[in-house]
């Protein structure tokens, strides 16, 4: 069995359609950055992009083929089933769930959550339940057994549309741990949900010339250039 990261990706985003294949830097789209940052995680053995069977997502599949990335196609609406079938196909024992809107996720934060997950046989570990990390650095780690249990027992549409909602709705049935940051940084945002967010990420990527880009690099940049946070300041952090 394997520790794998499933990246949830689709072209049909409601607020910024096609954002996953929009360039951050020349010929390097959002999805490229998500994958590249994840490649620096010490804990991940396999990276898979889980997209839908919709024809509009053929572009995502082509991107994966062109870049030699594992991919899986599943139900467009039942995202829980898509993740379960993907984890089953690739024999994943531990699943790191990553939406494709986090091009500047921090691999060190990912490893920290995975380490915590492994340290005490947790079923689910995260860093935003509640959140003290910037939007764009969220991580979820769950066991295959927990994913299977969620898939078999989920009834509500919201529990099928979102992978870990069943776990959150049934907290007493799972061993859950939430990592808190030493300082509450949840007011910062570099997830890509709207065009302003993408504009900010492009600015960050153009100013920080290292690989990977870590959370502290971005915070240092904001300290030196505080006007950058104004770019997407009005975007609702909870969206």
């Amino acid at each position: 069995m394997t520790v794998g990261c499933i990246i949830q990706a689709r072209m049909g985003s409601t607020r910024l359609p096609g954002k996953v294949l929009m360039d951050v830097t020349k010929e390097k789209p959002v999805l490229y950055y998500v994958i590249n940052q994840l490649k620096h995680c010490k804990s991940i053995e396999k990276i898979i992009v889980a997209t839908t069977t919709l024809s509009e997502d053929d572009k995502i599949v082509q991107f994966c083929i062109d870049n030699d990335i594992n991919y899986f196609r599943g139900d467009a609406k039942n995202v829980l089933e898509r993740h379960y079938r993907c984890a089953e196909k690739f024999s994943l024992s531990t699943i790191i769930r990553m939406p494709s809107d986090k091009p500047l996720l921090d691999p060190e934060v990912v490893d920290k959550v995975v380490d915590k997950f492994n340290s005490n046989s947790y079923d689910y570990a995260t860093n935003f339940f509640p959140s003290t990390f910037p939007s764009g650095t969220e991580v979820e780690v769950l066991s295959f057994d927990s994913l299977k249990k969620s898939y078999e027992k989920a009834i509500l549409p919201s529990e099928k549309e979102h992978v870990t909602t069943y776990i959150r709705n049934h907290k007493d049935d799972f061993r859950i741990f939430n990592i808190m940051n030493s300082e509450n940084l949840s007011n910062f945002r570099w997830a890509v949900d709207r065009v302003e967010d993408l504009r900010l990420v492009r600015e960050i990527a153009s100013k920080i010339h290292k690989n990977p880009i870590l959370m502290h690099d971005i915070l240092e940049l904001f300290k030196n250039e505080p006007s950058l946070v104004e770019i997407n300041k009005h975007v609702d952090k909870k969206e």
Side-chain angles (χ1 to χ4, degrees), residues 10-50:
R10 66 188 179 107
M11 293 295 284
S13 165
T14 46
R15 299 186 187 98
L16 190 58
K19 66 184 179 184
V20 293
L21 293 183
M22 290 180 180
D23 280 358
V24 173
T25 53
K26 192 178 180 187
E27 296 179 354
K28 291 179 179 176
V30 169
L31 187 54
Y32 170 89
Y33 268 81
V34 175
I35 293 165
N36 183 65
Q37 293 281 104
L38 286 167
K39 282 181 176 176
H40 290 88
C41 294
K42 295 179 181 130
S43 55
I44 296 174
E45 296 171 276
K46 194 168 281 186
I47 296 172
I48 308 121
V49 172

Side-chain angles (χ1 to χ4, degrees), residues 73-88:
R73 303 190 83 162
D75 195 283
K77 290 186 177 164
N78 193 334
V79 185
L80 174 58
E81 181 186 14
R82 197 195 318 165
H83 277 68
Y84 172 67
R85 297 293 179 203
C86 176
E88 190 178 46

Side-chain angles (χ1 to χ4, degrees), residues 47-236:
I47 296 172
I48 308 121
V49 172
T51 191
T52 83
T53 52
L54 299 175
S55 59
E56 66 188 39
D57 290 323
D58 291 350
K59 290 179 180 176
I60 291 174
V61 170
Q62 193 57 54
F63 173 87
C64 292
I65 292 168
D66 292 344
N67 291 277
D68 198 25
I69 302 296
N70 293 309
Y71 69 89
F72 178 86
R73 303 190 83 162
D75 195 283
K77 290 186 177 164
N78 193 334
V79 185
L80 174 58
E81 181 186 14
R82 197 195 318 165
H83 277 68
Y84 172 67
R85 297 293 179 203
C86 176
E88 190 178 46
K89 180 185 174 182
F90 287 92
S91 301
L92 304 183
S93 53
T94 300
I95 296 102
I96 295 131
R97 180 183 166 267
M98 188 60 64
S100 55
D101 61 355
K102 306 189 191 322
L104 297 177
L105 66 98
D106 188 325
E108 292 184 356
V109 174
V110 174
D111 285 337
K112 189 175 178 183
V113 179
V114 175
D115 286 347
K116 191 67 193 181
F117 173 85
N118 289 330
S119 71
N120 211 357
S121 302
Y122 289 107
D123 299 312
Y124 173 69
T126 185
N127 66 338
F128 64 102
F129 193 42
S131 180
T132 51
F133 285 79
S135 174
T137 62
E138 298 93 339
V139 184
E140 290 182 290
V141 184
L142 64 158
S143 66
F144 178 78
D145 288 346
S146 300
L147 181 60
K148 185 180 182 185
K149 184 176 180 180
S150 301
Y151 168 68
E152 290 174 346
K153 296 197 169 189
I155 296 169
L156 300 174
S158 61
E159 292 174 346
K160 295 178 181 182
E161 187 185 347
H162 303 285
V163 181
T164 55
T165 298
Y166 179 85
I167 294 174
R168 290 160 181 264
N169 286 349
H170 299 83
K171 293 193 288 286
D172 295 341
D173 296 339
F174 297 90
R175 286 172 54 80
I176 295 172
F177 190 89
N178 183 74
I179 288 183
M180 305 287 280
N181 196 39
S182 55
E183 180 187 354
N184 188 346
L185 301 172
S186 59
N187 57 309
F188 290 106
R189 175 190 177 90
W190 49 81
V192 175
D193 193 47
R194 297 183 184 272
V195 70
E196 296 89 346
D197 299 325
L198 183 58
R199 200 175 299 143
L200 173 62
V201 167
R202 283 171 172 164
E203 285 289 329
I204 294 168
S206 73
K207 292 171 185 288
I208 301 176
H209 303 289
K210 65 187 286 277
N211 186 18
I213 296 171
L214 303 177
M215 183 172 74
H216 67 78
D217 300 321
I218 299 170
L219 295 171
E220 188 66 27
L221 175 65
F222 285 174
K223 202 181 289 181
N224 295 330
E225 298 188 42
S227 62
L228 287 173
V229 297
E230 301 295 324
I231 294 173
N232 68 343
K233 196 174 183 181
H234 66 283
V235 176
D236 187 349

